[in-house]
Amino acid sequence: MIIVIGVSHRTAPLPVREALAFPKDQLRDALLRLRAETGAGEAMILSTCNRVELYARQDDPGAVEALESFLARYHARDGRELHAVLYRYADADAIRHAFRVAASLESMVIGEPQILGQVKEAYQAAEEAGTLGSALNALRNRSLAAAKRVRTETGIGRNAVSVSYVAVELARKIFGELKDKNVLLVGAGKMSELAAKHLVRSGGRATVLGGRTFEKAAELAAALGGKAAPLESLRDELARTDIVISGTGAPGIVIQEADVESARAARRGRHARPLFLIDIAVPRDIDPAVRRIGGVFLYDLDDLKTVAEANLRERLKESAPAEALVEREVREFLDWQKAREVVPLLNELRRRAEEIRRHELEKARRRIGPLTAEQDEAIEAATTAIVNKLLHSPTVHLKEAARESDAPEQLSLIRKLLGL
Amino acid sequence: VSSHVYLVLVLIFYAVGALHVLLQTLTRRRLLVTSWTVAATLVGFALHTAALAQRWTEAGHFPAVGLHDGASLLAWTMVLVFLIIYTRSRLEALGLAVYPMAFALVLIANLTPIAPVGDPVLKGLFLPIHTTLAFFGYAALFVAFAGGLLYLIQERELRSRAPRTFYYLIPSLERCDTLSARAVEAGFALLTLAIITGLLWSHTVHGRYWTSSPKEWSAVVAWSLYVVLILARQRTGWGGRRAALLGIAAFTAVAFTFVWMNVFALPVAARTP
């Protein structure tokens, strides 16, 4: 039986999650202690900033309590307090939870991609610590495969929900391919750097404008594989560029309407390509009046957030197909798991039948006396066929019975009937 | 089986694609074109081809005269052009324009009677050659028109800074613009050939190249607007919004040519090609 206990952003505030987190370097030790102290056959710990979860395979009735008290003991917390914020799942519920977490259906930002990597690492750590057995390993393979299907087959992770990615996606909606598009950075802040990195990775060419702190601009330009230029060349650079990311700390407007107008006029002769301006500065760097100019798209921080929110709503709409897909995968896994439970019984049945066949065959041979090779082959074949035909229907029935809810009772009855 | 029966079936199969596009847009889902709508379209298109072949034998001339045949043939060329573009570039958003248009045209064909014509003018090779060129030109220019519309809608979405359905459904401005530009080039070439064959046809019938009919004027106006559009794009790097608007304006002249030829000029059609 697989069980899960844990806390997440839904059940516990950040301070509690922090207190319960398992740092990476302590994970191995914690896994070994968990197995030793709770008597779990297998164990895995998933610890991210939004959730801390203990996974275990254990068949004792008090398994959940054992895990709870381990978690409290490990972090020196009060057991009763902890009990109030924990969720506990066993069996099918635990498996469903594991699938949902990996597929990012339980994430704070639904569809976010990081969780898949974090789950992978958690299983990896358990494997390295030697606490991963066949049950959790099967869960790992199936839940990760399901998570990948969710990502590729549903739109749950399709639209960007972070501001810097939204900027890149908007650029794609305007320019299509970003290859060889010129990106102009005005000011070198953290967020503009992040957005510029995404753009450069998509094939954009960066130019960084620096004011008083030109060294910082040169440094950033080097990191982005682009060039740096002084702030005075703004108009020339504007005429050459496709995408502008402005994020200076300046108190007033840095890019005036006249700057953009002159840039448009300079390039009108050759190309009417659009100009995409991203203003992530607060207070704003770019005069909002530039929106009046044709072919100019200006997005400020609030606009990017609006798009991110719209994208998130789109994702939530895609969550229904994703939920259905995960549910199908969970059911398949449960069926598979149950079918596996009858394998030992089937093997035993087959072994017993074969034993009886050999025994009776020997007895018969002794009575009949020597046989020709053909005759010997014939009775060998006949007895094998009898066994196979007799066992065929019970084998099929057992595999089917395993999927039903009263499988344990049915299986014990079959055991009794067959004297196994 | 008569061509009427085929045409009803065609309408049903095209309705699948049209309804799917409509429902996906209304429910704000993403898949405008799926494998089963493509399958339905292909079946519809095969039946449509059979319907046209049937009409050709029934009429004894190329089925392009009058509203019934004209609408049907135009829908057929549009679906063919759409299928070609879709297989090459998976441009689903084009379905937003083509599916409803093809459905509407086949519906019109179903609702209108067959034009009673039996003029010897329609017997020669000019009718199939001239109308095939013209109709494929119309289809290409419709794609250009649709590309322009999609561009304007996407531009409005981007300018609004609050994305709604079409932001997600329509590809990038660049892609709409490129689609429009390519389609105008192809459509213009076909239109030019159609006008030349039309003039030659007129000469063999009337002894005159130019008869000053409204459809001749509108064809020439459309042709001139496309010349301006293509030159502007090539020489000055024109594109985007202005190209989209001019493409839409030019297409109204094309639409007028078609409507005049196949609706109003019907009684005269037999006499003046």
Side-chain angles (χ1 to χ4, degrees), chain A residues 158-159 169-170 172-177 268-274 291-300 303 306-307 310-311 313-314 317-318 321, chain B residues 27-31 151 154-175 233 235-242:
Chain A
R158 192 147 39 196
N159 296 295
E169 236 174 50
L170 282 166
R172 283 221 178 84
K173 274 286 180 194
I174 295 169
F175 299 104
E177 281 274 304
R268 183 147 296 156
R270 299 168 292 119
H271 280 297
R273 277 199 309 215
R291 288 207 178 97
R292 281 200 296 265
I293 305 169
V296 173
F297 301 89
L298 167 63
Y299 278 70
D300 62 30
D303 299 330
T306 308
V307 177
N311 284 350
R313 282 196 297 277
E314 289 296 305
K317 237 170 29 191
E318 286 294 327
Chain B
T27 58
R28 309 190 43 191
R29 301 299 293 272
R30 302 303 167 59
L31 285 166
Y151 183 98
Q154 182 66 284
E155 193 193 50
R156 203 197 58 190
E157 289 283 295
L158 285 164
R159 276 187 170 272
S160 79
R161 290 168 285 134
R164 290 177 300 265
T165 311
F166 288 116
Y167 169 78
Y168 298 105
L169 291 178
I170 300 175
S172 65
L173 293 179
E174 166 70 27
R175 211 158 165 218
R233 269 190 189 277
R235 292 288 161 82
T236 69
W238 238 48
R241 184 181 181 78
R242 276 178 296 178

Side-chain angles (χ1 to χ4, degrees), chain A residues 126-140:
Chain A
E127 190 171 35
E128 279 160 16
T131 61
L132 205 63
S134 63
L136 284 183
N137 202 34
L139 182 63
R140 150 157 113 175

Side-chain angles (χ1 to χ4, degrees), chain A residues 307-326:
Chain A
V307 177
E309 277 158 23
N311 284 350
L312 190 58
R313 282 196 297 277
E314 289 296 305
R315 277 192 182 191
L316 289 176
K317 237 170 29 191
E318 286 294 327
S319 69
E323 299 257 355
L325 179 60
V326 166

Side-chain angles (χ1 to χ4, degrees), chain A residues 91-101 326-327 330-331 334:
Chain A
D91 249 353
D93 293 335
I95 286 160
R96 180 169 293 111
H97 180 76
F99 271 71
R100 291 177 59 85
V101 168
V326 166
E327 195 50 40
V330 167
R331 274 179 201 290
L334 291 173

Side-chain angles (χ1 to χ4, degrees), chain B residues 48-69:
Chain B
H48 203 166
T49 311
L52 289 171
Q54 182 72 20
R55 255 309 282 157
W56 200 341
T57 40
E58 279 171 17
H61 60 81
F62 192 65
V65 183
L67 190 55
H68 176 88
D69 286 343

